[in-house]
Amino acid sequence: KLQFLYFIVFNHALIDTMESQKLIAYLLFFMFGALLTTMFKGNQRDHLVAVSKQPDRSLMIKSNYSAPVEVAAEAVDKELFMKRQLVDLIARRSGIFVNRALRPKLANTLMVTMANWGFKTFFFNWACFSKQIGFDYIVLSMDPKLHNFLGESRSIQMDEVSGKQEWGTSTYFDIGCHKLEAIQYILELGTDVFFSDADNVIGRIPERTFAEMESGVYDVLIQADHPSCVSRSDCPPKWKSGKTANGGFYYFSARRKEKVVALLKRAVMWCLRKPREKKCCDDQQALNRAIYELNDPGLPSPSFPGAEFCSYEPTATLKDQDNLQYCVMDPVEHPAGRHDVKLDKIVSLHANWILDGGKKIEKLQRAGLWQWDGLSCTGDSDPS
């Protein structure tokens, strides 16, 4: 375009000139046009070089193609960051007791609870008894306020959900799923997990349960949840019937790490699946469903080939040692919210199945399992 423009200008100026002058003028025109073209291309090249030196912002652009990549990368970074934190917490807090020499066979077991600032009253009460007994533990903090209060030597922040969360809401379910993810991460690091909800108060050392954890017999020990469970033999969980084990008090062994982690991943998958149905899945339903599916021949599992319930009990017969070995804790010693409570027999009490916080507290008070007065533990100003 530039060459054509200049051709018109020069041609108009040369109408009355001599032939030799026209020849010189044409030569000058072509030389000038070539010079302009070279300069223009050079500027284009410099612009392209400058653009190429800019940082690659492709991952910063919100598009249908980059968003999944961003989300996946963020999830991987989050998981790696949490695992680094957990490595430090495991080194500090594993062993169940502050004095690890009390149960050396539990040196590779990490005691875990979960709370947010909206549930702090129950957590502080739980911590009162844990400190009195001599337990060491970590907290899965579901909001930054509780995490900052406890500090990184005790807490790992798993979410940003503050305030009281009612059972059955989407946020409540999400919190439970994040709890399962944390348990999975700990097991992947080769550490056993002893988990208790903050409204499941352990009043004294659970000697029988700890002995079974030390024996290496069971992959999973879990609290019975159904009110018809008055002994272990009454309590085989049946996911489809609603007769489930409790997702708020359990032990997972990392002895067969790959298989138990695969089981937890299956549970997390069910927990995170949306839209959620009536029976699936909060974390308890998801965990029960994952265990139940082990005995479904139509579902080949990367985890255990099957599941056997309380197969090491005196009256039971062990079928296949490769199967998941799981059992419920004694429902008399560790009753859940719908069980008849025998106060002279209990070791712990879970105040679940009660939505009203005041009534939860009353139930624990009747069992002698409430020490928090709003400011301190009875005779102790530091529940942490």
Side-chain angles (χ1 to χ4, degrees):
K1 289 179 180 178
L2 284 171
Q3 286 177 330
F4 181 73
L5 176 63
Y6 280 102
F7 175 80
I8 297 299
V9 172
F10 274 90
N11 196 49
H12 176 75
L14 296 174
I15 291 174
D16 298 323
T17 61
M18 303 293 291
E19 288 298 317
S20 60
Q21 290 176 324
K22 284 185 178 182
L23 179 60
I24 294 171
Y26 281 125
L27 289 172
L28 289 172
F29 157 71
F30 283 115
M31 290 173 65
F32 187 64
L35 178 63
L36 286 176
T37 302
T38 303
M39 290 173 62
F40 180 73
K41 288 183 177 179
N43 286 337
Q44 280 188 310
R45 219 173 19 250
D46 292 340
H47 175 70
L48 291 172
V49 170
V51 169
S52 69
K53 290 181 178 178
Q54 295 296 317
D56 182 5
R57 307 181 69 85
S58 59
L59 291 179
M60 304 177 195
I61 299 171
K62 301 295 184 184
S63 73
N64 291 334
Y65 298 100
S66 64
V69 176
E70 287 183 70
V71 171
E74 182 180 351
V76 170
D77 288 345
K78 183 179 179 182
E79 180 178 338
L80 290 174
F81 178 70
M82 286 184 174
K83 284 183 177 179
R84 288 193 204 103
Q85 288 183 298
L86 285 169
V87 167
D88 180 62
L89 287 169
I90 289 168
R92 288 173 179 268
R93 303 294 180 185
S94 63
I96 299 288
F97 291 93
V98 174
N99 180 3
R100 298 186 186 187
L102 290 176
R103 307 293 289 233
K105 290 184 178 180
L106 297 178
N108 192 46
T109 304
L110 185 67
M111 189 172 189
V112 183
T113 190
M114 178 186 78
N116 70 355
W117 195 252
F119 210 61
K120 64 182 183 297
T121 300
F122 292 94
F123 164 68
F124 288 151
N125 180 67
W126 183 93
C128 288
F129 283 90
S130 294
K131 184 174 184 181
Q132 180 178 294
I133 295 170
F135 288 150
D136 205 351
Y137 58 89
I138 73 163
V139 180
L140 307 178
S141 295
M142 293 298 163
D143 67 355
K145 192 168 184 179
L146 182 62
H147 174 68
N148 292 335
F149 177 83
L150 295 172
E152 292 185 352
S153 66
R154 173 79 69 189
S155 165
I156 180 170
Q157 184 180 334
M158 295 297 299
D159 213 322
E160 297 184 357
V161 180
S162 58
K164 182 182 178 182
Q165 303 300 319
E166 296 291 347
W167 185 90
T169 63
S170 179
T171 304
Y172 179 91
F173 283 178
D174 288 342
I175 289 174
C177 298
H178 296 157
K179 174 181 75 176
L180 281 181
E181 287 179 311
I183 302 305
Q184 175 196 316
Y185 296 160
I186 295 167
L187 289 165
E188 285 178 352
L189 294 169
T191 302
D192 302 344
V193 178
F194 183 55
F195 178 85
S196 171
D197 276 347
D199 62 350
N200 177 69
V201 182
I202 304 171
R204 55 192 173 94
I205 297 174
E207 296 287 354
R208 180 179 177 183
T209 299
F210 280 179
E212 291 183 331
M213 288 161 55
E214 290 169 329
S215 71
V217 163
Y218 290 112
D219 300 294
V220 179
L221 289 167
I222 192 165
Q223 185 179 46
D225 196 52
H226 200 272
S228 65
C229 299
V230 295
S231 70
R232 278 180 155 178
S233 60
D234 300 320
C235 301
K238 296 178 181 178
W239 173 71
K240 287 191 175 180
S241 70
K243 189 175 182 179
T244 56
N246 192 277
F249 189 30
Y250 48 72
Y251 163 76
F252 271 87
S253 169
R255 176 174 57 96
R256 297 194 280 181
K257 183 176 73 172
E258 289 76 14
K259 290 184 177 182
V260 79
V261 165
L263 177 67
L264 261 293
K265 286 183 176 179
R266 182 78 176 171
V268 169
M269 182 275 292
W270 278 121
C271 195
L272 292 173
R273 187 178 183 182
K274 295 178 182 178
R276 292 186 170 104
E277 304 166 4
K278 185 176 180 181
K279 288 190 175 182
C280 196
C281 289
D282 62 16
D283 60 298
Q284 176 168 312
Q285 294 164 337
L287 185 57
N288 276 269
R289 182 167 185 166
I291 293 174
Y292 174 85
E293 288 177 339
L294 292 177
N295 285 330
D296 187 337
L299 291 172
S301 172
S303 180
F304 297 91
E308 294 190 30
F309 176 74
C310 291
S311 57
Y312 282 89
E313 292 294 284
T315 57
T317 303
L318 179 64
K319 297 177 182 177
D320 188 346
Q321 201 164 0
D322 288 337
N323 289 338
L324 174 78
Q325 303 299 327
Y326 77 113
C327 196
V328 292
M329 301 174 191
D330 186 338
V332 176
E333 289 189 352
H334 302 289
R338 295 182 295 172
H339 289 132
D340 291 330
V341 177
K342 299 176 182 178
L343 295 180
D344 59 331
K345 302 289 187 181
I346 64 170
V347 175
S348 68
L349 176 61
H350 199 164
N352 63 331
W353 290 96
I354 304 172
L355 297 180
D356 183 87
K359 291 181 179 178
K360 279 181 181 282
I361 292 173
E362 289 174 6
K363 180 162 188 167
L364 292 168
Q365 285 174 331
R366 288 194 298 270
L369 292 174
W370 194 266
Q371 288 188 12
W372 181 247
D373 64 8
L375 294 173
S376 64
C377 305
T378 305
D380 187 349
S381 61
D382 181 14
S384 63

